[in-house]
Amino acid sequence: AQRVTQPEKLLSVFKGAPVELKCNYSYSGSPELFWYVQYSRQRLQLLLRHISRESIKGFTADLNKGETSFHLKKPFAQEEDSAMYYCALTSSGGSNYKLTFGKGTLLTVNP
Amino acid sequence: KAGVTQTPRYLIKTRGQQVTLSCSPISGHRSVSWYQQTPGQGLQFLFEYFSETQRNKGNFPGRFSGRQFSNSRSEMNVSTLELGDSALYLCASSLPGGSTEAFFGQGTRLTVV
């Protein structure tokens, strides 16, 4: 069975500090990994996906297949980064719109 | 381009009743997925429809059902409501093809009393 674990329900950092949101997964096969974000009073939206290998709003995430992890990192947190972050996976290829989500990490960036 | 629209935004129902929720995807998106979000279980996949056919189904009882129309609009139905069905129900639409971005609606908040 596929599973996504986000060990931290809450994470609080100060503005300008580095931030790392952890995500570990369990999946037999080749998964596609995503980070979704939900800002206050906004809808859930894609932040980044591992296949794009891009940096969005200063965030990056590297897929580590050996450690089955996909941690989200940002070197200098901003107050506007405060939001709920969800790690998610789906199977690569084919009809694969079934996203398995972690339970989320609420990030608070303090001034 | 209009986003994913879910109606109604809020619903209060009594145990034993049934409810129908609606989702209008982004124009051109033929895949529609439904998720249940609760504080305890988080976001859980219900089912996914593509071209009026259910392609994937999550681990939910048969009381949860859905359908998709030729214009890609989708409905989900929950029969014989239970208190535990109280949740935020999210709909997401995607373009056809591999692992593309899912665009989410704002959800329907269902409260069962």
Side-chain angles (χ1 to χ4, degrees):
Chain A
Q2 54 198 53
R3 185 166 59 246
V4 176
T5 303
Q6 293 179 252
E8 303 134 332
K9 290 181 72 172
L10 303 169
L11 185 61
S12 182
V13 301
F14 285 102
K15 177 182 172 181
V19 63
E20 180 179 49
L21 291 85
K22 291 183 167 47
C23 172
N24 290 90
Y25 67 90
S26 172
Y27 187 78
S28 55
S30 184
E32 299 278 5
L33 274 295
F34 305 84
W35 277 98
Y36 278 80
V37 62
Q38 188 166 30
Y39 300 102
S40 179
R41 284 190 276 280
Q42 293 188 29
R43 58 188 70 194
L44 194 60
Q45 58 187 285
L46 178 67
L47 179 62
L48 55 81
R49 67 191 95 179
H50 91 270
I51 58 173
S52 299
R53 296 181 177 275
E54 56 193 346
S55 172
I56 304 292
K57 298 185 179 183
F59 284 98
T60 58
D62 290 318
L63 179 61
N64 186 323
K65 292 185 178 180
E67 296 183 359
T68 59
S69 68
F70 188 56
H71 303 326
L72 184 68
K73 299 177 185 179
K74 184 169 183 176
F76 307 103
Q78 303 299 314
E79 290 179 66
E80 55 264 32
D81 296 329
S82 296
M84 192 72 173
Y85 291 80
Y86 294 94
C87 182
L89 71 76
T90 188
S91 62
S92 59
S95 58
N96 52 4
Y97 300 100
K98 174 183 176 180
L99 285 166
T100 298
F101 285 90
K103 293 199 175 180
T105 297
L106 179 62
L107 173 66
T108 302
V109 181
N110 301 297
Chain B
K1 194 186 252 189
V4 177
T5 304
Q6 293 188 245
T7 56
R9 292 291 310 280
Y10 303 92
L11 267 177
I12 300 176
K13 290 287 187 178
T14 305
R15 268 183 304 176
Q17 287 187 310
Q18 74 165 13
V19 67
T20 299
L21 312 181
S22 180
C23 172
S24 293
I26 292 172
S27 178
H29 288 192
R30 291 162 59 193
S31 171
V32 174
S33 302
W34 289 89
Y35 294 83
Q36 182 195 64
Q37 186 175 27
T38 58
Q41 299 299 318
L43 280 152
Q44 292 185 286
F45 173 79
L46 279 156
F47 29 66
E48 183 248 345
Y49 286 86
F50 180 79
S51 292
E52 303 177 64
T53 301
Q54 187 181 88
R55 290 198 301 190
N56 292 282
K57 189 176 189 307
N59 192 24
F60 278 81
R63 300 185 296 105
F64 291 81
S65 63
R67 60 177 174 169
Q68 187 180 33
F69 302 95
S70 58
N71 62 357
S72 294
R73 189 178 71 85
S74 178
E75 290 181 346
M76 68 163 280
N77 184 278
V78 188
S79 62
T80 321
L81 284 165
E82 301 177 359
L83 295 179
D85 297 331
S86 295
L88 181 67
Y89 290 88
L90 293 174
C91 164
S93 75
S94 307
L95 285 167
S99 54
T100 61
E101 177 177 356
F103 291 84
F104 283 84
Q106 290 187 297
T108 294
R109 172 74 64 184
L110 172 65
T111 302
V112 183
V113 298

